Amino acid sequence: MAAGPSHSELRIAGFGACMIRGYPHDSGGMCDVARAAVEKELSRPVRSTVISLGGFPAPRAEKYLKRKVLSGFNPHYVILQFSSLDAQCALRRGNRTAPDRAHSRPAPNEDLGYQGRPASTLSLLRWEVATLIGHLRRAEPITPLPLHLAAMERMAKDCRAAGAMPVVLSPFLYGSRYTARNAIGYAKALQDLAKAQGIIFVDCMHALRSKAKRQILQHDGFHLSLIGQRLIGQAIAKAIVANVTGQQNAEGVQAISSLRSEGLV
């Protein structure tokens, strides 16, 4: 990846669903954390932009990549964050048929509900109920894995053709262990894609497992807390710095299966 001379400006773009810009929080999102950390580690100016398509799965969002992200800004790195939404086994019909409404940012005075509430002891019970219902209904992910993987591969190729290095994020962790187990397959497939294409893969599941789920998730068991956002931002920064300096992308070689033994899925 040619990121320009060491003293030149580094440009990083974030492209994803709602959490790419820190939703439901107003500040402290993963891209802000990553930008600041990369700038500090490399001692060079970093400029970033974030394009968030709240509730858009990867196959629906990919047509906006060239126009909204690659054109004009000419990024060196593009963070692709769609896997958490696509791998989610949504239990409510509204979350499957109208994801834009389910995950888009409400008006300033509108109650964020479960998305905006920190996790509590009650959340743990709620997540166990969601796990049980998922099993009973055999809930399917929002985007089937083959469709998700194909869309991510096309976006990665578009980034490379434009001279940008894709930074592919795995799904995050979920309150529902049913969804979390399903998401492991998405993470593994994206890891294999990254190896085959020579692009950056960030194992977000590994990055988040240093904290209890109650610390990294909101009450809804899907959106990240500020702690979770910070952990992902740090993992992104580590991967980009390693790529710029020519070091191995350590985040892409973690053993995803180890999550089972630690009780996180």
Side-chain angles (χ1 to χ4, degrees):
M1 168 67 189
S6 60
H7 62 276
S8 65
E9 178 183 75
L10 191 68
R11 295 181 297 278
I12 302 174
F15 184 53
C18 60
M19 282 190 280
I20 191 69
R21 58 179 167 82
Y23 180 84
H25 314 287
D26 292 326
S27 61
M30 63 184 73
C31 286
D32 291 338
V33 172
R35 182 203 59 77
V38 170
E39 190 168 63
K40 180 180 179 180
E41 288 295 319
L42 296 179
S43 298
R44 64 186 290 187
V46 177
R47 183 158 58 101
S48 65
T49 186
V50 178
I51 304 300
S52 171
L53 301 177
F56 278 50
R60 183 178 177 186
E62 64 172 306
K63 64 182 179 182
Y64 298 100
L65 174 64
K66 293 179 180 179
R67 176 166 57 88
K68 290 183 173 291
V69 180
L70 301 176
S71 299
F73 187 67
N74 297 319
H76 296 106
Y77 292 90
V78 178
I79 304 163
L80 298 174
Q81 185 269 310
F82 292 99
S83 302
S84 280
L85 177 62
D86 284 17
Q88 184 189 23
C89 298
L91 302 180
R92 295 183 181 181
R93 191 175 191 84
N95 285 1
R96 301 186 63 84
T97 58
D100 307 281
R101 297 182 62 184
H103 298 288
S104 60
R105 180 177 290 276
N109 295 326
E110 185 177 341
D111 184 8
L112 291 175
Y114 287 166
Q115 301 171 9
R117 286 169 53 186
S120 64
T121 302
L122 180 61
S123 306
L124 302 179
L125 176 60
R126 184 175 188 268
W127 299 343
E128 287 304 307
V129 171
T131 299
L132 177 60
I133 294 175
H135 278 292
L136 292 175
R137 294 184 180 178
R138 296 183 179 180
E140 296 292 331
I142 288 176
T143 304
L145 177 55
L147 297 181
H148 171 73
L149 196 63
M152 295 298 288
E153 182 174 7
R154 289 191 293 268
M155 284 193 282
K157 289 181 177 179
D158 286 342
C159 289
R160 294 302 295 268
M165 170 63 78
V167 181
V168 177
L169 305 190
S170 80
F172 305 143
L173 293 179
Y174 304 83
S176 166
R177 288 182 289 111
Y178 177 84
T179 293
R181 290 190 184 111
N182 172 78
I184 288 177
Y186 285 68
K188 183 61 170 64
L190 290 170
Q191 183 182 54
D192 291 343
L193 173 66
K195 288 180 179 179
Q197 298 292 327
I199 61 180
I200 298 174
F201 169 75
V202 177
D203 185 349
C204 298
M205 290 180 161
H206 176 77
L208 293 169
R209 69 178 180 177
S210 64
K211 302 290 184 182
K213 285 202 287 187
R214 181 174 167 180
Q215 294 178 282
I216 62 173
L217 293 172
Q218 296 291 97
H219 180 62
D220 66 351
F222 176 75
H223 291 88
L224 293 175
S225 68
L226 279 174
I227 292 175
Q229 286 276 343
R230 184 176 71 247
L231 290 172
I232 298 303
Q234 292 169 346
I236 293 170
K238 181 179 178 181
I240 291 177
V241 168
N243 185 260
V244 170
T245 57
Q247 300 173 13
Q248 183 181 10
N249 177 23
E251 292 300 324
V253 296
Q254 301 297 339
I256 295 171
S257 61
S258 65
L259 292 168
R260 295 183 183 276
S261 62
E262 299 188 19
L264 293 177
V265 298

